[in-house]
């Protein structure tokens, strides 16, 4: 394995060298970096041109100039990492390190959410193959495949942001709207849960009523103006999380695991009030992180103590529940600053430009909310396409696995459907998904170029676009270096992951 | 995908149709050529057929309306305005199309200097189709040749070609395409299509190589070799026909990606640039007018989506048609029909409407298969 990794790394270095050389030469021929100066009417035009030629060493032919650039990059090994300067003389390293953080933030969040939603949707469509839900999801994923990214982005910016902000200034849903939303939600739940006609109708009716009740509650309590969870909702949502986590991981039959998880929900509700004094406005980032970790550890301990025969399983379930309940408490704290935030953003909380509100300041809770409102639209844009492809892949993969002999064997042994799906089918279906996702992440950074342009994020994408427009090779190459290095790295990761997850595959 | 997807859920499963289905299945067993089987399956795929019809009518509309321009040679179309000529604003540039059939002077509206948007969208679609077709054709040819050569001959040829493929695949497509588009974008759609095609082949090459690697170990290839067939005969007569499914399907998907790529490049300003017109370039040009003249944004966008969606559906139909494992699903026992039957009181059908789980190889399945 080690020799495989080393050999692949060595090969990757050569691939990176080759790829960067190709791009360098191509980009150098893409246009004239002196174009703006040649057209200028400044009296010292010749001097300016000469200065820029001197600065960027434009008198050296492009293939040779590549090696000068490469010398700067390889300087990393002797502690003098140099990516050159931009046309305007700015250091590329400073430029790119700020931008990289923004892009990585955007891409990471989008990928994580896309994987979660994509896998869940894909798996449920596979389990409900040929249902109305399946067809609807298939149609929408085809639609999302065919949507140009910039089109979606502009639509979101012009309609969703403005519409949602208008809604928030006067949050009222007319009765007919509530009826329609409830009916749609009832229909969606009915198609997901499936089964015989009679239970379907029951699901439809109850889901419709529950949705209507929730909407009514939110509107009556002015929830959209003062959102929050409170001890009561944290307890309720925590209990729901406990039931879902237990039923997926051990099954509700395992009472001890269920009680351990429910205990964590109760603990969250009980500790909600005292924790408000810990999460003050002057708290640092460490506080929410510590809180979630503490809930995770407490969950593991509670599960271990209550678990008797299968301590590990109960501990795992309770730990997951605990961490999620801790997350709910933090979420509640962030929601509490919403009214202030709306005032600070002059009533237009959903942002369409940039990565943060300039000069906002305030507590970390407000900062988190600010990042959220800025990330919302670009993340949705990036999500649509990834969710479409991940859900297709996971659907195909689970369908393939469900027809394998070992799944039939598991059913024949009399295992419950939950065990068959979650333990035998799901894990095996995830193997190809893991590798596909690893391949994808590298490409996603390149794909963020358009999204960043439209939402005016000063990320790597906009650096690339500016650089290409002005044929400014140094920042362009820094962009290429980072994206292709990440691509190579994730490809390698995909290969390793594949052999680790599937013992039948041996790397050589 | 089938009934539901195309909004065509009403079709009743008559006795005649199920018999028809049965005979097709039997004929497959009887030994038709693979081409016939694939063609029949494709023609029975409702989503793909609908997409094909829409695409062909779109192409007809696009190419007859404003005519053609090939190397300065001009074939006029039936539409009254050209895509470059500015005319006085009618109704403030708003679309004059009143649904359903009253088109008026400028059905899609006009831009701020009075150019007819319909003509511009038609021209833009022509350019986008040119880029797409050239990209698809060139990428397919290079991808097949590289993949076939390296998969069939293996050894050092394979190593060199695959390292070269790695080299190109490591750069994100949009980045490489943007750099090339910046260089040649002002030379027009044909040049752009060719240049993009020259870098669009690596994924296809990898797929074809994989297919060749597994096919060349099969018994029928051994048999051909023992019978004294030359390498070229083995490749063209024995292996390639068996790999053609993968090639056609991924070329289709490549083309749908190509139209989105062209639009994205032109939108960023690295593809086709004004005064020439393409769908992405139109959206880029009218981006700032969005709040005052939204139709300038909607029409080009809708055409991009329509073309990409059609090609994706055709690709899906082809994939199903080429996949020997795919069978059809039970259409009569679908959940909505059960619900309908129950609500309308015709519960007699419930007898055989339980949630029967059939294996995909079960010949009783009919309807659209999975992706």
């Amino acid at each position: 394995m080690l020799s495989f990794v080393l050999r692949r790394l060595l090969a990757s270095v050569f691939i990176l060298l080759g790829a960067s050389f190709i791009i360098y030469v191509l980009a150098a021929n893409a246009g004239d970096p002196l174009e703006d100066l040649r057209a200028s009417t400044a009296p010292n035009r010749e001097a300016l041109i000469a200065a820029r030629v001197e600065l960027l060493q434009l008198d050296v032919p492009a293939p040779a100039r590549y090696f000068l650039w490469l010398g700067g990059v390889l300087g990393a090994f002797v502690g003098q990492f140099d990516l050159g300067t931009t046309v305007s003389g700015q250091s590329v390293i400073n430029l790119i390190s700020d931008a990289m953080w923004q892009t990585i933030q955007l891409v990471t969040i989008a990928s994580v959410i896309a994987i979660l939603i994509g896998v869940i949707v894909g798996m449920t469509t596979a389990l409900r193959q040929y249902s109305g839900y399946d067809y609807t999801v298939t149609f929408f994923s085809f639609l999302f495949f065919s949507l140009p990214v910039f089109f979606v982005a502009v639509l979101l910016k012009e309609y969703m942001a403005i519409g949602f902000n208008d809604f928030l200034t006067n949050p009222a849903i007319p009765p007919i709207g509530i009826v329609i939303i409830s009916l749609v939600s009832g229909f969606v739940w009915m198609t997901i849960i499936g089964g015989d006609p009679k239970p379907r109708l029951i699901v439809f009716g109850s889901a419709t009523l529950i949705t209507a009740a929730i909407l009514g509650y939110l509107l009556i309590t002015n929830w959209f103006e003062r959102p929050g969870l409170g001890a009561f909702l944290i307890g309720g949502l925590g209990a729901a999380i406990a039931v879902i986590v237990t039923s997926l991981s051990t099954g509700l039959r395992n009472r001890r695991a269920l009680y351990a998880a429910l205990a964590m929900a109760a603990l969250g509700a009980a500790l909600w009030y005292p924790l408000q004094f810990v999460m003050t406005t002057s708290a640092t980032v460490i506080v929410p992180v510590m809180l979630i970790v503490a809930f995770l550890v407490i969950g593991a301990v509670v599960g271990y103590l209550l678990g008797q025969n299968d301590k590990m399983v109960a501990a795992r379930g309770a730990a997951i529940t605990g961490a999620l309940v801790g997350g709910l408490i933090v979420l509640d704290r962030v929601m509490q600053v919403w009214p202030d935030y709306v005032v600070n953003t002059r009533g237009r909380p959903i942002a369409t430009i940039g990565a943060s509100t300039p000069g906002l300041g305030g507590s970390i809770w407000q900062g988190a909310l600010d990042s959220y409102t800025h990330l919302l639209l670009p993340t949705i844009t990036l999500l649509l396409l990834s969710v479409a492809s991940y859900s297709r892949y996971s659907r195909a993969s689970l369908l393939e696995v469900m027809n394998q002999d070992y799944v039939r064997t598991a059913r024949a042994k009399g295992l419950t459907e939950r065990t068959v799906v979650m333990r035998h089918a799901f894990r095996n279906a995830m193997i190809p998904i893991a590798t596909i996702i690893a391949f994808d992440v590298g490409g996603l950074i390149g794909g963020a170029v358009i999204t960043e342009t439209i939402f005016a994020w000063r990320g790597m994408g906009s650096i690339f676009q500016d650089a290409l427009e002005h044929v400014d090779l140094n920042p362009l190459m820094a962009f290429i270096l980072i994206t292709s290095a990440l691509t190579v790295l994730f490809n390698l990761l995909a290969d390793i992951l594949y052999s680790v997850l599937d013992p039948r595959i041996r790397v050589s | 995908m089938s009934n539901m997807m195309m909004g065509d859920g009403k079709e009743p499963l008559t006795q005649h149709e199920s018999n028809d289905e049965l005979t097709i299945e039997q004929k497959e067993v009887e030994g038709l050529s693979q081409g016939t089987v694939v063609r029949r399956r494709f023609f029975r795929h409702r989503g793909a057929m609908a997409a094909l019809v829409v695409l062909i009518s779109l192409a007809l509309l696009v190419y007859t309306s404003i005519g053609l321009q090939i190397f300065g040679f001009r074939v006029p179309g039936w539409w009254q305005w050209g895509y470059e000529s500015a005319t006085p604003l009618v109704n403030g540039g708003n679309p004059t199309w009143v649904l359903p059939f009253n088109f008026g002077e400028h059905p899609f509206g006009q831009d701020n200097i009075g150019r007819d948007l319909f003509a511009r969208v038609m021209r833009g679609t022509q350019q986008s189709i040119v880029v797409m077709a050239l990209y698809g054709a060139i990428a397919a040819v290079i991808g097949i040749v590289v993949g076939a050569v390296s998969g069939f001959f293996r050894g050092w040829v394979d190593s060199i070609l695959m390292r070269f493929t790695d080299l190109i695949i490591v750069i994100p497509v949009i980045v490489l395409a943007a750099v090339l588009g910046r260089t040649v974008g002002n030379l027009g759609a044909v040049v752009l299509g060719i240049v993009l095609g020259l870098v669009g082949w690596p994924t296809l090459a990898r797929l074809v190589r994989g297919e060749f690697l597994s096919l060349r170990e099969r018994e029928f290839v051994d048999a051909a070799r023992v019978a004294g067939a030359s390498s070229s005969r083995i490749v063209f007569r024995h292996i390639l026909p068996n790999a053609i499914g993968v090639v056609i399907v991924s070329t289709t998907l490549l083309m749908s990606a190509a139209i989105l790529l062209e639009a994205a490049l032109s939108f960023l300003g690295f593809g086709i640039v004004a005064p020439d017109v393409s769908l992405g370039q139109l959206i880029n040009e009218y981006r700032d007018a969005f709040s005052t003249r939204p139709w300038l944004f909607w029409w080009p966008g809708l055409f991009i989506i329509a073309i990409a969606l059609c090609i994706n559906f055709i690709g899906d139909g082809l994939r199903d048609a080429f996949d020997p494992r795919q069978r059809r699903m039970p259409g009569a026992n679908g959940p909505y029909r059960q619900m309908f039957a129950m609500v309308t009181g015709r519960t007699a059908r419930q007898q055989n409407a339980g949630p029967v789980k059939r294996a995909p190889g079960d010949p009783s399945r009919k309807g659209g298969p999975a992706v």
Side-chain angles (χ1 to χ4, degrees):
Chain A
M1 176 61 110
L2 188 68
S3 81
F4 166 77
V5 172
L6 284 179
R7 246 180 313 132
R8 277 293 303 266
L9 274 178
L10 195 69
S12 308
V13 170
F14 282 106
I15 287 172
L16 276 183
L17 286 180
S20 58
F21 180 74
I22 292 179
I23 276 284
Y24 196 94
V25 175
L26 283 177
N29 289 322
D32 181 9
L34 300 173
E35 205 174 331
D36 54 329
L37 292 183
R38 283 192 216 281
S40 87
T41 49
N44 58 345
R45 203 172 67 117
E46 296 305 320
L48 285 175
I49 291 180
R52 187 176 290 179
V53 168
E54 172 74 21
L55 177 70
L56 301 176
Q57 292 162 314
L58 293 177
D59 44 351
V60 183
R65 212 175 338 135
Y66 168 76
F67 291 99
L68 292 176
W69 174 81
L70 190 64
V73 175
L74 294 181
F77 293 106
V78 292
Q80 286 175 321
F81 191 46
D82 182 18
L83 288 174
T85 56
T86 65
V87 168
S88 50
Q90 211 183 341
S91 158
V92 171
I93 294 184
N94 294 343
L95 190 71
I96 205 100
S97 51
D98 289 350
M100 210 167 97
W101 162 239
Q102 293 210 351
T103 301
I104 286 178
Q105 189 189 358
L106 178 64
V107 169
T108 317
I109 291 180
S111 318
V112 170
I113 300 176
I115 292 167
L116 272 180
I117 299 181
V119 169
I120 290 175
V121 168
M123 297 281 169
T124 46
T125 45
L127 293 176
R128 297 275 169 266
Q129 195 186 8
Y130 302 138
S131 67
Y133 171 64
D134 185 22
Y135 283 130
T136 318
V137 168
T138 306
F139 179 75
F140 276 102
S141 53
F142 269 72
L143 187 64
F144 292 157
F145 272 135
S146 318
L147 284 178
V149 177
F150 55 88
F151 192 75
V152 181
V154 174
L155 280 189
L156 284 177
K157 206 169 148 174
E158 296 288 338
Y159 287 112
M160 191 166 154
I162 291 172
F164 196 56
N165 279 331
D166 284 347
F167 168 77
L168 288 174
T169 45
N170 181 23
I173 307 175
I176 185 80
I178 295 183
V179 170
I180 290 174
I181 295 174
S182 310
L183 284 176
V184 168
S185 117
F187 186 75
V188 169
W189 282 108
M190 177 187 80
T191 47
I192 291 178
I193 290 175
D196 284 337
K198 202 175 167 191
R200 279 174 162 270
L201 283 180
I202 295 172
V203 169
F204 176 72
S206 44
T208 309
L209 288 180
I210 292 173
T211 314
I214 292 175
L215 277 179
Y217 171 79
L218 294 181
L219 285 176
I220 289 168
T221 54
N222 269 338
W223 195 85
F224 290 106
E225 279 164 33
R226 310 195 143 271
L229 296 174
F232 182 66
L233 272 182
I234 286 178
L237 289 174
I241 291 173
V243 170
I244 291 172
V245 167
T246 320
S247 66
L248 286 181
S249 67
T250 61
L252 291 177
R253 284 256 182 87
N254 190 336
R255 291 292 165 188
R256 295 194 163 271
L258 180 61
Y259 294 150
L262 283 175
M264 289 314 293
L267 186 72
L271 286 184
W272 171 74
Y273 186 69
L275 280 174
Q276 299 304 311
F277 298 102
V278 180
M279 297 186 290
T280 52
T281 43
S282 56
T284 50
V285 189
I286 210 79
V287 173
V289 174
M290 286 301 292
L291 193 139
I292 292 175
V293 171
F295 265 85
L296 191 128
V297 172
I298 296 173
V301 172
V302 168
Y304 193 80
L305 292 180
L306 284 178
Q308 281 191 346
N309 285 334
D310 34 21
K311 292 181 186 302
M312 291 321 283
V313 177
R316 188 186 58 192
I320 296 173
T321 314
L324 290 175
V325 170
L328 280 182
I329 294 177
V330 174
L331 182 69
D332 173 71
R333 182 67 184 85
V334 172
M335 280 177 172
Q336 287 173 22
V337 294
W338 177 261
D340 290 341
Y341 182 73
V342 172
V343 173
N344 287 345
T345 49
R346 288 181 293 283
R348 312 302 288 178
I350 304 296
T352 53
I353 279 180
S356 58
T357 310
L360 182 70
S363 62
I364 53 157
W365 317 110
Q366 185 141 317
L369 194 59
D370 191 48
S371 303
Y372 163 76
T373 54
H374 282 87
L375 277 168
L376 185 66
L377 298 180
T379 310
I380 293 177
T381 314
L382 283 179
L383 270 186
L384 289 183
L385 197 78
S386 315
V387 167
S389 62
Y390 292 161
S391 69
R392 291 281 83 193
Y393 286 132
S394 23
R395 177 178 183 275
S397 170
L398 190 63
L399 282 178
E400 180 99 29
V401 169
M402 290 297 268
N403 289 314
Q404 296 290 323
D405 288 340
Y406 54 79
V407 171
R408 198 170 302 132
T409 311
R411 285 222 174 88
K413 281 196 295 188
L415 295 179
T416 59
E417 189 65 14
R418 183 196 64 77
T419 320
V420 173
V421 171
M422 290 301 293
R423 191 162 297 166
H424 295 251
F426 177 74
R427 293 185 179 186
N428 283 299
M430 284 308 288
I431 295 174
I433 307 298
T435 56
I436 285 170
I437 287 170
F439 270 122
D440 250 30
V441 171
L444 207 56
I445 295 178
V449 171
I450 299 167
T451 314
E452 285 180 0
T453 311
I454 292 172
F455 291 106
W457 277 59
R458 291 294 307 161
M460 299 221 291
S462 58
I463 288 190
F464 167 74
Q465 210 204 341
D466 287 350
L468 187 55
E469 212 151 314
H470 302 118
V471 200
D472 192 356
L473 286 181
N474 287 331
L476 185 89
M477 289 312 292
F479 172 83
I480 300 283
L481 194 68
I482 291 169
T483 48
S484 40
L486 282 176
T487 313
V488 165
L489 204 67
F490 276 102
N491 282 2
L492 181 62
L493 194 70
D495 282 352
I496 297 174
L497 212 58
Y498 206 64
S499 70
V500 171
L501 291 177
D502 190 348
R504 286 172 302 180
I505 310 276
R506 254 177 294 152
V507 291
S508 56
Chain B
M1 63 214 50
S2 61
N3 330 9
M4 261 299 293
M5 304 260 345
M6 301 314 298
D8 173 16
K10 59 183 186 300
E11 183 155 333
L13 182 85
T14 57
Q15 193 61 38
H16 167 73
E17 199 186 340
S18 55
N19 272 344
D20 197 32
E21 183 68 25
L22 208 63
T23 37
I24 287 268
E25 297 283 350
Q26 282 170 344
K27 274 180 190 163
E28 274 181 33
V29 191
E30 266 171 22
L32 296 167
S33 75
Q34 200 202 358
T36 318
V37 173
V38 167
R39 199 162 54 243
R40 284 197 182 167
R41 284 215 202 120
F42 181 71
F43 285 146
R44 297 181 66 82
H45 194 292
R46 292 197 197 92
M49 284 316 288
L52 195 63
V53 170
V54 171
L55 194 64
I56 290 175
S57 9
L58 262 182
L60 276 179
L61 173 74
V62 161
Y63 279 101
T64 59
S65 59
I66 61 157
L68 269 176
Q69 263 183 314
I70 313 166
F71 304 116
F73 180 72
R74 201 169 178 137
V75 184
W78 46 262
W79 188 244
Q80 47 188 330
W81 316 108
Y83 67 95
E84 278 165 327
S85 50
T87 47
L89 284 180
V90 177
N91 190 14
N94 275 298
T96 52
W97 188 359
V98 184
L99 289 172
F101 295 120
N102 184 7
F103 293 107
E105 290 260 294
H106 300 281
F108 289 5
Q110 288 165 292
D111 65 8
N112 50 346
I113 54 171
R115 288 176 297 192
D116 179 51
L117 188 63
F118 178 79
R120 288 181 75 73
V121 170
M122 292 300 118
R123 171 69 180 171
T125 315
Q126 285 185 3
Q127 300 289 69
S128 296
I129 289 178
V130 165
V131 173
M132 176 185 86
L134 282 173
Y135 180 94
I138 291 173
V141 169
I142 302 182
I144 293 169
V145 170
V146 170
V149 167
S150 71
F152 185 76
F153 293 106
R154 301 194 297 188
W156 60 270
V157 182
D158 182 29
S159 303
I160 291 179
L161 285 176
M162 280 303 115
R163 290 301 82 77
F164 186 59
T165 312
D166 286 343
L167 217 84
I168 295 191
I169 227 168
V170 107
I171 310 167
V173 178
I174 188 151
V175 170
L176 193 53
V179 170
L180 290 169
R182 172 81 169 78
T183 322
V184 301
N186 49 3
L187 298 179
V190 175
V191 181
L192 186 69
I194 293 174
V195 171
L196 291 186
L198 289 178
V199 296
W201 51 267
T203 42
L204 184 64
R206 279 192 170 179
L207 274 176
V208 173
R209 173 177 173 267
E211 202 72 0
F212 265 65
L213 278 179
S214 74
L215 283 173
R216 77 188 295 282
E217 304 298 335
R218 298 278 287 274
E219 289 82 358
F220 62 85
V221 174
D222 286 341
R225 196 171 288 124
V226 170
S230 64
S231 287
S232 70
R233 188 180 164 85
I234 292 178
V235 168
F236 287 111
R237 300 283 304 184
H238 296 275
I239 301 186
L240 203 53
N242 283 301
I244 202 74
V246 171
V247 169
I248 291 185
V249 171
S250 26
T251 308
T252 332
L253 299 179
L254 212 61
M255 284 164 81
S256 92
I259 200 153
L260 295 181
L261 180 67
E262 184 275 323
L265 286 185
S266 304
F267 177 75
L268 288 175
F270 300 133
I272 290 174
V273 287
D276 207 343
V277 178
S278 87
L279 292 177
Q281 185 271 335
L282 281 177
I283 294 186
N284 185 27
E285 187 176 339
Y286 297 138
R287 198 165 152 190
D288 300 329
F290 182 83
S291 44
T292 48
R293 295 160 185 267
W295 59 89
L296 294 178
F297 174 82
W298 279 108
W299 286 111
L302 285 179
F303 270 76
I304 298 176
I305 297 172
I307 294 174
L309 200 56
C310 283
I311 292 176
N312 273 331
F313 269 109
I314 293 173
D316 186 55
L318 286 172
R319 176 167 30 201
D320 288 348
F322 277 109
D323 189 344
R325 288 174 308 174
Q326 297 286 9
R327 283 293 183 275
R328 296 159 181 260
M329 64 161 281
N333 296 337
Y336 295 103
R337 229 157 279 182
Q338 287 177 38
M339 296 280 296
F340 182 73
M342 209 184 91
V343 170
T344 51
R346 288 186 289 133
T347 43
R349 293 182 69 174
Q350 264 196 49
Q351 305 280 319
N352 54 356
V356 185
K357 286 208 167 68
R358 291 192 177 90
D362 190 327
S364 64
R365 281 171 182 255
K366 78 173 282 294
V371 176

